[in-house]
């Protein structure tokens, strides 16, 4: 009777012309099969290669909606796709969810998770996961161990990375050249080239691990940055003898190191050697050479190198443009800098804050105060936010061009907006006040620094002392000098620089400086003549 009543009620709620849908095993299988097909399509390499974050999360939720779950291999594919998006925290979170649902990890899953933990600087958790792997009977491979070595180096624990390698090799596990290269690079980046070389000779070669181009490139760059040019050259020769061909990265590293140490001639010789060896210079190589030539005021040669770069089909990036723009501006050729700025826009490159800072400073150096201010005002409209360095350039440029009042208006506005002003900003204003005779105002600002939580540096002290010199306030200078010594702010090389035109320091002060081993430096040696 209950069954019959239910049947009547059901039929009463349906339209008479609508038959009841058949509910068969066949329809269930069809729907399940179509779901599997959809999942398979979404897990293909083509789909995962172009997946975005939202789709990845949606796909994972779909995969874990109800058992039976897809294979561990499928989950690994998805996790690897998220790794390529550099969303390491999300990968770790998804891994934990998989563990909660009882989805088994394989060696590849563990490797993905350990790599992500190391990339997030969670080395202790990565090591714990290694322990769990071992308990479950998994044998760590070269990828596992390489990720952990990288984790140690990222945490600036290079010595522990070396010890870790020694331990795992002793236990019979294999470590490949990638792990050794990570340690060598970590040591070189911390200017420990000698230790890197010892590690290379004593560990890598002794164990019969064949060094590759990355090994030599790290070492050569590290030796150059430590000023060991002879050792770098010998290593480069050794590299070629061992039939390990230097690549563009090796040469670019050498060119950049030579340039940074003022050896532009040697850098150009390396550049020409690259061409002879049929190695095409890249944007890093060209940018380094352009920078080196600009540093030596060889701006026309730098411009020619830039044009050569374009002719060779190596398109300049923002760094290349900024480097040459800076060179033009320092040579007071700001119009040439503006031509490059316009060329950047035509090529679709977005100017950075550095680009604007360079041009604003260039206009000020050329005495074009109005254009500098106009360029500053356009930054926001082009979607570029001025940084503290921009404001410091603006304030300094206004002060240097006799526009102290405008500088003070901007300075007051910065204070009202509670911007995080640094000591450079205050020093610029103090200098501007002193140079326009407002020494008392400068002194008041100087005395307020500590209340503002800002500590004066050597430049601030000497700037204020220069201002006091202009007023002949020798007692105040002596007191300020004593305070500066008390703050431990004498320069390491035993010098104290006072700008030209400010040489009215008391004879007693200069005598004390000389007796304690401190001397006016560089352009400031005129002060000694006062004695």
């Amino acid at each position: 009777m209950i069954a019959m009543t239910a049947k009547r009620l059901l039929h009463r709620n349906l339209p008479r012309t609508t038959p009841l849908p058949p509910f068969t095993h066949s329809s269930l299988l069809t729907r399940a099969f179509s779901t599997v097909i959809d999942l398979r399509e979404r897990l293909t390499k083509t789909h995962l290669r172009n997946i975005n974050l939202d789709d990845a999360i949606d796909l994972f939720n779909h995969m874990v909606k109800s058992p039976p779950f897809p294979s561990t291999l499928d989950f690994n594919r998805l996790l690897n796709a998220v790794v390529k998006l550099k969303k390491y925290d999300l990968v770790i979170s998804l891994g934990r969810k998989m563990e909660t649902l009882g989805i088994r990890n394989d060696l590849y899953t563990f490797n993905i998770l350990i790599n992500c933990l190391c990339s997030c600087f969670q080395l202790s958790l990565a090591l714990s996961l290694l322990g769990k792997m071992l308990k479950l009977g998994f044998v760590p491979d070269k990828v596992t161990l390489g990720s952990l070595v990288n984790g140690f180096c990222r945490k600036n624990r290079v010595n522990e990375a070396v010890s870790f390698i020694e331990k795992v090799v002793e236990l019979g596990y294999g470590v490949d050249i990638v792990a050794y290269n990570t340690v060598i690079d970590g040591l070189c980046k911390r200017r420990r080239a000698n230790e890197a070389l010892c590690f290379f000779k004593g560990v890598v070669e002794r164990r019969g691990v064949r060094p590759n181009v990355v090994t030599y490139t790290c070492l050569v760059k590290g030796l150059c940055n430590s000023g060991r040019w002879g050792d770098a050259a010998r290593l480069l020769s050794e590299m070629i003898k061992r039939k390990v061909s230097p690549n563009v990265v090796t040469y670019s590293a050498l060119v950049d190191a030579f340039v940074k140490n003022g050896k532009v001639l040697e850098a150009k010789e390396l550049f020409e050697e690259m061409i002879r060896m049929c190695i095409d210079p890249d944007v890093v190589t060209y940018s380094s050479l352009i920078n080196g030539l600009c540093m030596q005021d060889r701006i026309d040669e730098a411009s020619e190198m830039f044009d050569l770069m374009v002719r060779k089909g190596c398109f300049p990036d923002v760094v290349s443009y900024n480097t040459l723009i800076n060179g033009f501006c320092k040579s007071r050729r700001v119009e040439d800098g503006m031509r490059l700025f316009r060329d950047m826009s035509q090529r679709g490159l977005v100017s950075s804050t550095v680009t604007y800072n360079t041009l604003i400073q260039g206009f000020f150096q050329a005495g074009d105060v109005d254009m500098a201010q106009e360029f500053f005002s356009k930054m926001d409209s082009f979607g570029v936010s001025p940084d503290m360095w921009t404001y410091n350039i603006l304030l300094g440029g206004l002060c240097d061009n006799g526009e102290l009042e405008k500088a003070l208006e901007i300075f007051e506005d910065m204070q009202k907006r509670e911007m995080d002003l640094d000591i450079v900003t205050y020093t610029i204003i103090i200098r501007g006040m002193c140079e326009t005779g407002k020494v008392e105002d400068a002194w008041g600002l100087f005395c307020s620094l500590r209340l503002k939580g800002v500590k004066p540096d050597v430049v601030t002290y000497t700037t204020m002392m220069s201002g006091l010199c202009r007023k002949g306030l020798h007692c105040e200078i002596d007191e300020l000098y004593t305070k500066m010594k008390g703050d431990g702010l004498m320069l390491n090389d035993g010098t104290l620089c006072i700008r030209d035109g400010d040489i009215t320091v008391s004879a007693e002060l200069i005598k004390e400086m000389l007796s304690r081993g401190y001397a006016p430096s560089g352009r400031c040696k005129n002060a000694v003549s006062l004695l």
Side-chain angles (χ1 to χ4, degrees):
M1 287 179 66
I2 293 170
M4 288 173 66
T5 306
K7 190 174 181 181
R8 280 199 304 272
L9 286 170
L10 183 61
H11 279 284
R12 190 182 301 165
N13 290 325
L14 287 171
R16 293 195 176 189
T17 55
T18 306
L20 282 171
F23 191 70
T24 65
H25 288 293
S26 175
S27 64
L28 277 173
L29 286 170
T30 302
R31 271 180 283 174
F33 184 70
S34 85
T35 301
V36 170
I37 293 294
D38 175 59
L39 202 55
R40 282 288 169 207
E41 286 177 359
R42 295 178 71 185
L43 285 166
T44 58
K45 286 182 180 178
T46 307
H47 180 80
L48 290 174
R49 191 182 298 122
N50 302 312
I51 200 167
N52 60 40
L53 188 59
D54 291 335
D55 286 345
I57 295 169
D58 180 64
L59 178 54
F60 181 84
N61 289 334
H62 189 50
M63 290 168 73
V64 299
K65 199 167 188 181
S66 58
F69 301 123
S71 68
T72 303
L73 177 63
D74 289 328
F75 280 102
N76 289 343
R77 283 177 181 161
L78 177 59
L79 293 178
N80 200 42
V82 180
V83 168
K84 288 176 181 175
L85 295 172
K86 297 186 177 180
K87 300 296 181 182
Y88 307 119
D89 286 334
L90 176 61
V91 176
I92 296 164
S93 175
L94 297 179
R96 286 177 182 146
K97 180 72 173 174
M98 287 167 61
E99 185 179 13
T100 304
L101 294 168
I103 300 166
R104 289 173 60 83
N105 292 347
D106 61 11
L107 178 61
Y108 195 79
T109 323
F110 279 115
N111 283 348
I112 292 171
L113 294 172
I114 285 172
N115 176 52
C116 288
L117 287 166
C118 290
S119 297
C120 292
F121 299 94
Q122 297 184 44
L123 180 60
S124 57
L125 290 177
L127 290 168
S128 297
L129 199 55
L130 173 66
K132 184 174 182 179
M133 271 181 68
L134 294 169
K135 282 182 183 177
L136 292 171
F138 289 99
V139 178
D141 62 6
K142 292 173 182 179
V143 176
T144 323
L145 301 175
S147 294
L148 288 163
V149 168
N150 185 46
F152 277 112
C153 291
R154 285 172 69 90
K155 293 276 282 184
N156 198 18
R157 293 161 63 178
V158 187
N159 291 343
E160 290 175 67
V162 175
S163 301
F164 179 76
I165 288 176
E166 295 282 355
K167 186 68 177 174
V168 296
V169 169
E170 186 184 312
L171 291 169
Y173 297 112
V175 179
D176 63 6
I177 190 61
V178 176
Y180 289 110
N181 287 346
T182 302
V183 171
I184 289 168
D185 186 52
L187 289 167
C188 288
K189 281 179 176 174
R190 289 158 183 83
R191 295 196 173 270
R192 294 164 64 182
N194 197 48
E195 292 172 67
L197 201 57
C198 289
F199 180 76
F200 171 70
K201 297 286 184 186
V203 179
V204 180
E205 291 190 334
R206 179 164 51 84
R207 291 196 175 129
V209 180
R210 181 174 168 76
N212 59 18
V213 64
V214 177
T215 321
Y216 282 107
T217 300
C218 291
L219 283 167
V220 166
K221 188 176 180 181
L223 289 167
C224 287
N225 288 335
S226 299
R228 296 170 61 176
W229 308 105
D231 290 334
R234 279 191 291 275
L235 202 61
L236 187 62
S237 300
E238 179 187 314
M239 178 182 184
I240 295 166
K241 276 182 192 174
R242 291 192 176 191
K243 301 190 186 314
V244 180
S245 300
N247 60 15
V248 65
V249 180
T250 317
Y251 275 104
S252 294
L254 274 166
V255 167
D256 187 58
F258 275 119
V259 163
K260 284 177 178 173
N261 285 272
K263 297 179 180 289
V264 180
L265 179 62
E266 290 86 345
K268 283 198 79 174
E269 287 173 356
L270 275 171
F271 175 78
E272 288 160 9
E273 184 180 320
M274 287 178 73
I275 305 298
R276 286 194 299 273
M277 292 183 69
C278 299
I279 298 172
D280 292 328
D282 63 7
V283 67
V284 177
T285 326
Y286 282 110
S287 297
S288 295
L289 278 168
I290 291 165
N291 182 42
L293 292 165
C294 288
M295 285 166 66
Q296 294 192 348
D297 295 325
R298 294 157 65 179
I299 189 67
D300 289 324
E301 289 179 66
S303 185
E304 287 169 15
M305 184 65 70
F306 186 91
D307 293 339
L308 174 65
M309 176 183 182
V310 175
R311 284 199 307 274
K312 292 290 184 181
C314 180
F315 295 106
D317 59 9
V318 175
V319 174
S320 315
Y321 274 102
N322 286 347
T323 303
L324 190 54
I325 288 170
N326 185 50
F328 278 129
C329 288
K330 283 189 173 178
S331 299
R332 298 186 184 276
R333 292 168 59 177
V334 69
E335 285 307 316
D336 286 324
M338 278 300 294
R339 174 179 55 78
L340 280 174
F341 175 77
R342 287 188 286 269
D343 188 53
M344 279 179 74
S345 300
Q346 288 169 4
R347 288 184 181 272
L349 290 172
V350 179
S351 304
S352 65
T353 306
V354 175
T355 319
Y356 282 90
N357 289 352
T358 304
L359 283 164
I360 290 167
Q361 191 160 34
F363 283 121
F364 275 127
Q365 287 171 343
D368 195 342
V369 178
D370 291 337
M371 193 63 187
Q373 291 183 92
E374 183 184 334
F375 214 65
F376 171 80
S377 66
K378 286 180 177 177
M379 287 181 73
D380 284 328
S381 61
F382 284 104
V384 182
S385 300
D387 57 13
M388 189 52 65
W389 189 241
T390 319
Y391 279 100
N392 288 342
I393 289 169
L394 182 65
L395 294 173
L398 289 169
C399 289
D400 288 340
N401 285 275
E403 299 282 356
L404 177 65
E405 293 307 317
K406 283 185 182 177
L408 288 174
E409 285 176 20
I410 294 167
F411 178 66
E412 286 170 15
D413 182 59
M414 290 167 73
Q415 289 179 306
K416 284 177 185 174
R417 287 192 284 153
E418 297 184 348
M419 292 176 66
D420 190 15
L421 308 185
D422 58 18
I423 189 58
V424 176
T425 315
Y426 286 107
T427 303
I428 288 167
I429 295 300
I430 288 168
R431 177 171 60 81
M433 289 173 169
C434 288
E435 289 181 349
T436 53
K438 297 187 174 183
V439 178
E440 291 80 4
D441 292 339
W443 179 248
L445 183 58
F446 179 88
C447 293
S448 72
L449 289 178
R450 293 191 185 276
L451 295 173
K452 298 176 186 291
V454 182
K455 187 177 180 180
D457 59 13
V458 173
V459 179
T460 319
Y461 270 108
T462 53
T463 300
M464 192 64 247
M465 288 166 71
S466 297
L468 294 170
C469 286
R470 291 170 184 270
K471 292 286 187 178
L473 301 170
H474 304 304
C475 293
E476 287 81 355
I477 295 169
D478 292 343
E479 288 175 13
L480 202 57
Y481 174 71
T482 303
K483 180 156 184 56
M484 184 173 71
K485 283 193 301 181
D487 285 347
L489 288 175
M490 299 305 290
L491 297 181
N492 292 332
D493 61 356
T495 62
L496 174 65
C497 184
I498 300 172
R499 290 157 52 95
D500 285 346
D502 299 332
I503 313 302
T504 52
V505 184
S506 67
E508 291 77 13
L509 174 56
I510 296 173
K511 282 177 182 175
E512 184 182 348
M513 288 166 63
L514 293 173
S515 69
R516 293 178 180 272
Y518 296 102
S521 64
R523 295 173 300 163
C524 314
K525 290 184 178 175
N526 294 338
V528 181
S529 64
L530 289 174
L531 296 174

